[in-house]
Amino acid sequence: MAYVYNEYDENQVKKTLKKRKKKKLKKRIKVIIVLFVIICIAGYFFSDLSRVRTIKITGNDYTTEEEVKEAIDVNETYIYFLVDKSEVEEQVETLPAVKSAKVSIGLFGGMTIKITEAEAIAYASIDGQYYMINDAGKIVEISNEEANDFKLLTYVQDFTSEEMLSEFAKQYKDVPSLMQNEISDIVLSPQSADETRLQCITKEGRYIYIRIEDLASRLSDDQFNYELYKSTYSDKCTFSIEGNYIYMSEDCE
C-alpha cells in the first residue's frame, strides 16, 4: 500500500521535537540558576558581608570592652548567621561585674551586647587593693577612687585572700538587704578552731559574730530577725551565732 503524505503527521513530529528542545532548555536554565544561586551563596559566606562586622558593648561601667571580647568566642571573622546568641550571653555573664547580658545582631552584621551590671552591696580591701562586692555574689577589682563611691556600704576588712573574699561574697549576696543595711563593717576575726569567724559591726555599735558559711542561712529573717532581737534584748550588745544557737551578752567591747 502506498504511503499517503499527511501534513498533520509532519507537524506532530515537529511539535514533539520542539517540546523536547524546550524541556532540555528548561533543564539547562534550572541548572544554571541553581549553580548561580550556589555561587552567590558561597560568595556571600566567603565575603565580608556575612561576617560580624562590629561588636558594640553598652551598659558597662566596671567591665571593659576588652574583657567582654576576651570572654566571648565571637569576633569579626565569624559568620553572624551562625552565632549562638544564648551562648554569647552566658559567656559574658561569667564576668564578675555582669549580672545579665542580652545579645542582638543586625541585618548588616552589627552585634550589640547590652550589659546589666550587678549592684554593689559592700566593698573590701586586701593589701591595699579594693574590691566591690555585688549582688551577683562576685568580687570586682576597683581603684581607690572608685572605692570612694561605696563609703556608705558595708566595709569588709582583714581578709587575706581573694578566694576567701569570693566565698564571703557568695554568701553575703543572700543576706536580706535590711540586714545588710544595718551593718557598717565586717571584720574577719578568726579563732584557733574557727578560721572563718566574722565580726559584724552594726551602725548602732552592736556586734554579731558568725561564720562565713552561715551568713546566708543564719542571717535570714526567720533565723535571726535583728530588728526583733535588738528591741526585745535592748540591753544586749553582742550576738554570737554558733550553729543553731544564739548567745547574747551585754559586752559592747
Side-chain angles (χ1 to χ4, degrees):
M1 180 176 179
Y3 174 76
V4 178
Y5 173 77
N6 188 327
E7 186 179 354
Y8 174 78
D9 292 338
E10 186 178 351
N11 290 340
Q12 287 297 102
V13 172
K14 288 182 178 179
K15 285 182 179 179
T16 301
L17 290 174
K18 284 183 179 180
K19 285 182 179 179
R20 288 178 181 176
K21 287 181 179 179
K22 284 183 179 180
K23 284 184 179 180
K24 287 182 180 180
L25 183 59
K26 285 181 179 179
K27 285 183 180 179
R28 288 176 183 174
I29 292 174
K30 285 181 180 179
V31 171
I32 292 171
I33 291 174
V34 170
L35 288 174
F36 178 75
V37 171
I38 291 173
I39 291 170
C40 288
I41 291 173
Y44 171 77
F45 281 108
F46 281 104
S47 73
D48 290 338
L49 295 174
S50 66
R51 308 294 170 177
V52 174
R53 308 178 83 175
T54 59
I55 299 177
K56 182 181 180 182
I57 301 163
T58 64
N60 56 312
D61 290 323
Y62 298 100
T63 306
T64 65
E65 290 190 5
E66 290 73 20
E67 287 176 322
V68 175
K69 291 180 178 180
E70 287 179 5
I72 63 178
D73 292 331
V74 177
N75 56 45
E76 284 79 0
T77 66
Y78 273 65
I79 297 172
Y80 67 86
F81 281 129
L82 303 180
V83 173
D84 187 333
K85 293 188 287 186
S86 297
E87 183 177 347
V88 174
E89 290 167 356
E90 290 176 2
Q91 290 170 344
V92 175
E93 288 167 3
T94 63
L95 295 171
V98 177
K99 190 168 189 177
S100 64
K102 184 67 177 177
V103 175
S104 59
I105 300 177
L107 292 175
F108 301 102
M111 185 167 77
T112 300
I113 302 175
K114 184 178 180 180
I115 289 174
T116 300
E117 292 189 327
E119 294 185 9
I121 54 176
Y123 73 109
S125 64
I126 300 177
D127 296 330
Q129 173 62 58
Y130 283 94
Y131 300 85
M132 173 181 69
I133 299 167
N134 61 36
D135 62 358
K138 298 177 183 178
I139 64 173
V140 182
E141 285 191 15
I142 56 174
S143 66
N144 291 10
E145 291 75 19
E146 289 172 327
N148 290 327
D149 297 333
F150 305 126
K151 293 297 184 181
L152 297 178
L153 299 177
T154 303
Y155 180 39
V156 183
Q157 309 166 55
D158 292 353
F159 278 66
T160 56
S161 70
E162 289 186 6
E163 290 76 16
M164 182 175 281
L165 186 61
S166 293
E167 289 303 313
F168 167 84
K170 292 175 185 176
Q171 289 283 326
Y172 193 66
K173 72 177 176 61
D174 293 325
V175 173
S177 57
L178 288 176
M179 185 73 249
Q180 292 176 359
N181 292 334
E182 291 281 358
I183 300 173
S184 63
D185 296 88
I186 295 178
V187 182
L188 182 65
S189 182
Q191 293 181 322
S192 56
D194 196 358
E195 296 181 353
T196 62
R197 179 174 177 262
L198 300 173
Q199 181 191 59
C200 304
I201 306 170
T202 70
K203 293 175 181 177
E204 297 175 332
R206 289 185 169 89
Y207 298 85
I208 301 169
Y209 290 93
I210 188 171
R211 296 179 180 88
I212 291 175
E213 57 269 26
D214 293 334
L215 280 169
S217 59
R218 298 294 280 124
L219 286 186
S220 59
D221 291 336
D222 59 332
Q223 293 289 317
F224 181 73
N225 188 319
Y226 179 66
E227 290 295 327
L228 179 62
Y229 268 85
K230 72 179 184 180
S231 61
T232 304
Y233 306 101
S234 57
D235 59 329
K236 306 299 182 184
C237 287
T238 300
F239 303 91
S240 182
I241 301 174
E242 300 177 19
N244 294 323
Y245 300 97
I246 299 175
Y247 300 96
M248 294 172 285
S249 74
E250 298 177 7
D251 183 12
C252 291
E253 302 189 3

